[in-house]
């Protein structure tokens, strides 16, 4: 079996055997001579074959040739040894990968683990980041910028009622239900969005490494404060007022941060990069400011750019204004505020009206710089890397080029199945036995307590 260099053109005598639908002027390809068919077989997808041949070569026991081949493909390889895998190493890799993302480098990187036998594996995390990545991507898809913006404006109507002379009471429980259930996607993962879009964290796994958490604390804290404000048995009237105010302000800031981080991403602004302790707080603050200045840029449809984006801003600004005016009706306000007739909404109307007008102008100007997304086929038709949010660097080498074991590596499938059945049946038998013992004990006690011949 003879093989040509991947970057070399095929020999002239092979031209007549190459398939007619293969355009040699637009593709790089490799040709191999098949001794059976006595033909040259050419393929544009040669990278995986080349890499697999390197992996299987006899002089690649330590994996060095595999790493060199990945580097030849233009891939940055982060490598850690079996005796040198710990949290500081993972953190340094994440910081370096986020800085390379900040500098505008292409996302051509992978993180490999080499065991004591020289075998290479994709290094991924199983710390809960897989589930978080799934909910994050699903939330980004179903995120509604209009709902987030409407919620921000309507919640602002609650604030003037704290200065009502006739007395009023805001229902924090209703607010908690609306924010926590109806606006689930719009209020969720604000810290993660800021980390991914503004800081430039390579992946969800990298975010869990830096933050030491996979929980959505801003959302949980705001809902907890609103819930606590509704417990009159534990908090007095003044405490309820202040807690409700804090909960509303936090909710508005979370909505603004989600809009702002998405706007940052859609505008392709430079990310901050990891490495400094104040970066997460700075990213969140910048996201809130961006969300207040450019709220409509955080809408998913803004990516259409051009006239379509400008028309979308105009229609949504008009719709937000109509809903805000409708929320000023007394019967509507009573749903959230008891005694809303004593609230002076003039300041809220003037402030929100000016804000809607100014943000419409800023977003229209910003939308003119957004280039429409033109669908086009991928330049790399033979990818070596695939995106993986459980990798600390966001990408891994495509399977089955580099492989790793799952489950018990020393047991085959039949043995593992038998072991699983034994453990499952044993666990069920243990529970049933404990229940039977409790039933038997209670029967003995009942029989001892009642004299013979008694009717019960």
């Amino acid at each position: 079996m003879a093989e040509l260099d991947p970057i070399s053109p095929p020999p002239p005598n092979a031209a007549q055997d190459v398939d007619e639908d293969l355009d040699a002027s637009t593709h790089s390809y490799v040709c191999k001579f098949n001794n059976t068919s006595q033909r040259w077989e050419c393929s544009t997808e040669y990278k995986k074959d080349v890499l697999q041949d390197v992996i299987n070569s006899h002089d690649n026991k330590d994996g060095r040739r595999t790493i060199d081949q990945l580097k030849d493909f233009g891939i940055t390889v982060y490598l850690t040894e079996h005796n040198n895998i710990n949290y500081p190493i993972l953190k340094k890799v994440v910081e370096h990968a986020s800085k390379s993302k900040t500098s505008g480098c292409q996302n051509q990187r992978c993180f490999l683990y080499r065991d004591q036998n020289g075998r290479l594996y994709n290094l991924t995390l199983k710390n809960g980041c897989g589930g978080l990545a799934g909910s994050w991507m699903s939330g980004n898809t179903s995120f509604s910028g209009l709902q987030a913006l409407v919620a921000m404006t309507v919640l602002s109507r609650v604030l003037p009622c704290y200065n009502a002379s006739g007395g009023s009471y805001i229902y924090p429980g209703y607010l908690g239900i609306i924010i926590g259930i109806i606006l689930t996607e719009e209020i969720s993962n604000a810290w993660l969005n800021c980390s991914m879009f503004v800081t430039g964290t390579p992946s969800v796994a990298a975010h869990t490494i830096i933050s030491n958490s996979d929980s959505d604390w801003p959302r949980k804290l705001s809902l907890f404060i609103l819930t606590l404000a509704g417990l009159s048995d534990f908090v007095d009237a003044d405490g309820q007022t202040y807690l409700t105010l804090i909960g509303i302000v936090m909710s508005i800031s979370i909505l603004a941060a989600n809009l702002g981080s998405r706007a940052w991403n859609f505008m392709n602004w430079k990310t901050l990069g990891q490495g400094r302790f104040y970066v997460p707080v700075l990213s969140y603050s910048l996201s809130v400011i961006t969300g207040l200045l450019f709220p409509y840029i955080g809408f998913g449809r803004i990516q259409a750019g051009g006239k379509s984006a400008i028309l979308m801003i105009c229609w949504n600004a008009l719709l937000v204004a109509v809903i805000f005016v409708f929320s000023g009706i007394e019967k509507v306000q009573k749903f959230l505020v008891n005694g809303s007739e004593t609230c002076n909404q003039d300041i809220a109307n003037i402030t929100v009206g000016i804000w809607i007008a100014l943000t419409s102008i800023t977003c229209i100007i910003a939308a003119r710089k957004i280039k429409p997304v033109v669908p086009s086929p991928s330049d790399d038709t033979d990818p070596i890397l695939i995106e993986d949010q459980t990798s600390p660097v966001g990408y891994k080498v495509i399977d089955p080029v580099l492989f790793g074991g799952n489950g018990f590596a020393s047991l085959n499938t039949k043995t593992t199945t038998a072991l699983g059945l034994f453990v499952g049946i044993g666990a069920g038998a243990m529970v049933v036995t404990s229940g039977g013992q409790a039933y038997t004990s209670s029967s003995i006690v009942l029989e001892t307590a009642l004299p013979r011949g008694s009717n019960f």
Side-chain angles (χ1 to χ4, degrees), residues 158-168 342-344 347:
V158 178
L159 302 179
C161 293
Y162 285 98
N163 297 324
S165 58
S168 60
T342 63
C343 302
N344 185 1
I347 298 178

Side-chain angles (χ1 to χ4, degrees), residues 111 121-126 129 205 388 390-392 395-396:
F111 195 2
Y121 300 86
N122 285 303
L123 194 149
T124 57
L125 301 185
K126 304 299 181 184
C129 60
D388 189 349
T390 63
S391 170
Y395 292 85
K396 71 176 184 179

Side-chain angles (χ1 to χ4, degrees), residues 31 76 89 106 127 144 183 297 383 440:
C31 296
T76 301
I89 291 294
Q106 295 182 352
N127 60 345
S144 173
L183 301 173
I297 305 298
T440 304

Side-chain angles (χ1 to χ4, degrees), residues 3-278:
E3 181 177 348
L4 301 179
D5 191 293
I7 62 173
S8 301
N13 60 348
Q16 57 183 1
D17 293 332
V18 179
D19 295 336
E20 295 180 355
D21 58 348
L22 186 61
D23 186 359
S25 63
T26 58
H27 294 281
S28 297
Y29 53 91
V30 65
C31 296
K32 297 181 180 180
F33 187 77
N34 191 325
N35 290 323
T36 303
S37 62
Q38 295 296 311
R39 286 173 54 90
W40 287 95
E41 297 177 353
C42 299
S43 173
T44 57
E45 299 183 359
Y46 62 88
K47 292 182 181 178
K48 291 190 287 290
D49 294 336
V50 170
L51 186 58
Q52 193 68 64
D53 290 342
V54 171
I55 293 174
N56 297 334
S57 60
H58 68 279
D59 56 346
N60 187 40
K61 294 182 179 180
D62 60 350
R64 173 52 58 185
R65 288 194 59 196
T66 302
I67 297 172
D68 292 339
Q69 185 62 60
L70 290 172
K71 291 167 61 179
D72 291 340
F73 286 147
I75 298 172
T76 301
V77 180
Y78 297 92
L79 178 66
T80 184
E81 304 290 345
H82 63 93
N83 57 352
N84 190 31
I85 180 67
N86 49 50
Y87 174 75
I89 291 294
L90 295 176
K91 187 176 181 181
K92 288 181 180 179
V93 169
V94 170
E95 292 176 355
H96 187 274
S98 66
K99 290 178 181 178
S100 64
K101 185 177 180 180
T102 301
S103 61
C105 297
Q106 295 182 352
N107 295 324
Q108 295 290 316
R109 55 180 182 266
C110 63
F111 195 2
L112 303 182
Y113 167 81
R114 182 161 57 186
D115 64 11
Q116 62 270 22
N117 297 321
R119 293 175 298 185
L120 295 174
Y121 300 86
N122 285 303
L123 194 149
T124 57
L125 301 185
K126 304 299 181 184
N127 60 345
C129 60
L132 178 60
S135 63
W136 174 69
M137 290 186 288
S138 175
N140 277 334
T141 302
S142 57
F143 180 89
S144 173
L146 177 62
Q147 293 182 25
L149 199 53
V150 168
M152 289 172 59
T153 55
V154 173
L155 285 175
S156 66
R157 282 205 178 275
V158 178
L159 302 179
C161 293
Y162 285 98
N163 297 324
S165 58
S168 60
Y169 176 74
I170 300 174
Y171 299 109
Y174 288 165
L175 294 177
I177 293 175
I178 293 174
I179 295 172
I181 298 179
I182 299 178
L183 301 173
T184 302
E185 294 85 1
E186 290 70 33
I187 204 73
S188 299
N189 296 321
W191 201 255
L192 176 57
N193 286 330
C194 296
S195 177
M196 297 292 289
F197 297 143
V198 181
T199 306
T201 306
S203 65
V204 175
H207 169 75
T208 60
I209 293 173
I210 296 297
S211 63
N212 292 317
S213 174
D214 58 356
S215 186
D216 189 6
W217 290 112
R219 172 179 174 270
K220 291 181 178 180
L221 184 59
S222 64
L223 294 179
F224 173 75
I225 292 176
L226 290 175
T227 302
L228 188 62
L231 301 178
S232 57
D233 295 338
F234 299 94
V235 184
D236 58 14
D238 292 337
Q240 287 182 305
T241 300
Y242 291 121
L243 287 175
T244 306
L245 176 61
I246 294 173
I248 291 175
V249 172
M250 283 192 63
S251 300
I252 292 176
S253 71
I254 293 173
L255 293 169
N258 278 334
L259 284 171
S261 60
R262 289 165 61 87
W264 197 287
N265 180 48
F266 295 151
M267 291 293 291
N268 291 319
W269 288 344
K270 184 178 180 181
T271 54
L272 304 180
Q274 293 284 358
R276 296 173 293 275
F277 69 92
Y278 57 84

